[in-house]
Amino acid sequence: MEINDRLLDVLRYELEKVGLHTTPPVLDEVLLVVKDDTPVAYVQEDGFIIYSTLCDKEDSLPVSTIVNQVWEMERAYQEAPVMHIDSVSKYRKLIEYNGIVLAARYDGDGQFTFASWQYTYNNNAVSFGHYFHENHYAAAKADFLYRSGLADRSILFQLDELAVIRDTLLFRGMQDSALQLKEQEGLDNLLHRVDSMLTPSNEPSLIAEIEMEQEY
């Protein structure tokens, strides 16, 4: 997938949350991720990551999860059609099932807003919007799964349980020197998903954004 300006802005926004930065693409479309002036990782056009041996292991932990999520968001957004309802036509439809639709809108400055709605009136209008700002894609997907009936809310962990899981994952990532690269990447991805669930701003806003769109 081509590294376009939108993908680069979203990647920068997400990396800055964890104190990392990136440079513009150089030869062979490689992005350099740095912590201060120290190289952390090199990201190729297809999302493949080569880690630097010059940085602390802790600094490289979030890179894989962030890159995977940003590439997934960009690919989904590129392939999605525009919502056919005028009031929410600034959004693109990612998926729909059982009368529930998940959509995305790019707001600029490296930020996507995701929303799930319930269709009404023969799919000619939407209502009961749940909104997820600042690229909270994992939370938006989970919300869609539960609203549409594709997943059971009984499988959800409570916040205190998630906090214990996070601490355990973090401890293993820091202390287990025998972790292989694939295991490390899988652990990083799971840790980032748990972090996203613990972030208070991931909670959906149940108040319609009246000034931004009318849902009818």
Side-chain angles (χ1 to χ4, degrees):
M1 183 173 63
E2 180 182 354
I3 298 178
N4 58 38
D5 290 341
R6 180 176 57 228
L7 183 146
L8 189 58
D9 286 345
V10 175
L11 181 62
R12 284 171 174 158
Y13 183 85
E14 290 299 303
L15 288 172
E16 286 176 1
K17 290 181 180 179
V18 295
L20 300 175
H21 304 277
T22 187
T23 63
V26 290
L27 294 176
D28 298 324
E29 297 298 315
V30 173
L31 295 170
L32 173 61
V33 178
V34 299
K35 175 69 176 291
D36 299 324
D37 294 325
T38 303
V40 174
Y42 302 88
V43 184
Q44 297 180 350
E45 191 175 42
D46 60 359
F48 184 78
I49 303 168
I50 301 172
Y51 292 96
S52 170
T53 59
L54 303 176
C55 69
D56 292 335
K57 185 178 180 180
E58 182 179 2
D59 293 333
S60 66
L61 284 176
V63 174
S64 175
T65 301
I66 290 174
V67 168
N68 289 338
Q69 176 173 279
V70 171
W71 259 246
E72 181 183 350
M73 288 192 296
E74 176 61 26
R75 185 176 293 106
Y77 190 74
Q78 285 186 16
E79 297 174 354
V82 173
M83 288 287 293
H84 67 280
I85 300 169
D86 289 342
S87 59
V88 290
S89 60
K90 291 182 180 180
Y91 287 83
R92 297 187 186 183
K93 181 174 65 177
L94 303 182
I95 188 173
E96 64 176 83
Y97 180 77
N98 200 24
I100 303 296
V101 59
L102 175 64
R105 181 189 69 208
Y106 184 62
D107 300 323
D109 296 325
Q111 299 180 54
F112 280 102
T113 291
F114 298 95
S116 67
W117 295 289
Q118 178 180 326
Y119 278 125
T120 59
Y121 306 115
N122 297 320
N123 290 2
N124 291 321
V126 292
S127 61
F128 303 110
H130 293 188
Y131 298 91
F132 301 84
H133 305 282
E134 298 179 355
N135 303 327
H136 288 309
Y137 187 41
K141 288 191 296 183
D143 180 72
F144 170 79
L145 289 174
Y146 302 132
R147 293 190 74 183
S148 66
L150 287 171
D152 188 344
R153 285 190 179 273
S154 64
I155 65 174
L156 281 174
F157 288 103
Q158 299 299 314
L159 290 180
D160 57 342
E161 295 172 325
L162 285 173
V164 173
I165 292 172
R166 182 191 183 280
D167 290 344
T168 302
L169 292 172
L170 191 59
F171 179 82
R172 187 185 179 198
M174 295 292 295
Q175 301 296 326
D176 191 348
S177 59
L179 277 177
Q180 300 298 312
L181 179 60
K182 287 290 185 181
E183 294 175 318
Q184 182 68 62
E185 290 179 351
L187 189 148
D188 294 348
N189 185 55
L190 185 55
L191 182 60
H192 188 74
R193 288 171 59 189
V194 171
D195 278 338
S196 71
M197 295 175 189
L198 286 169
T199 304
S201 59
N202 282 353
E203 291 296 321
S205 170
L206 301 182
I207 301 175
E209 298 178 345
I210 300 299
E211 296 181 358
M212 298 183 65
E213 68 251 354
Q214 298 289 332
E215 298 177 349
Y216 56 79

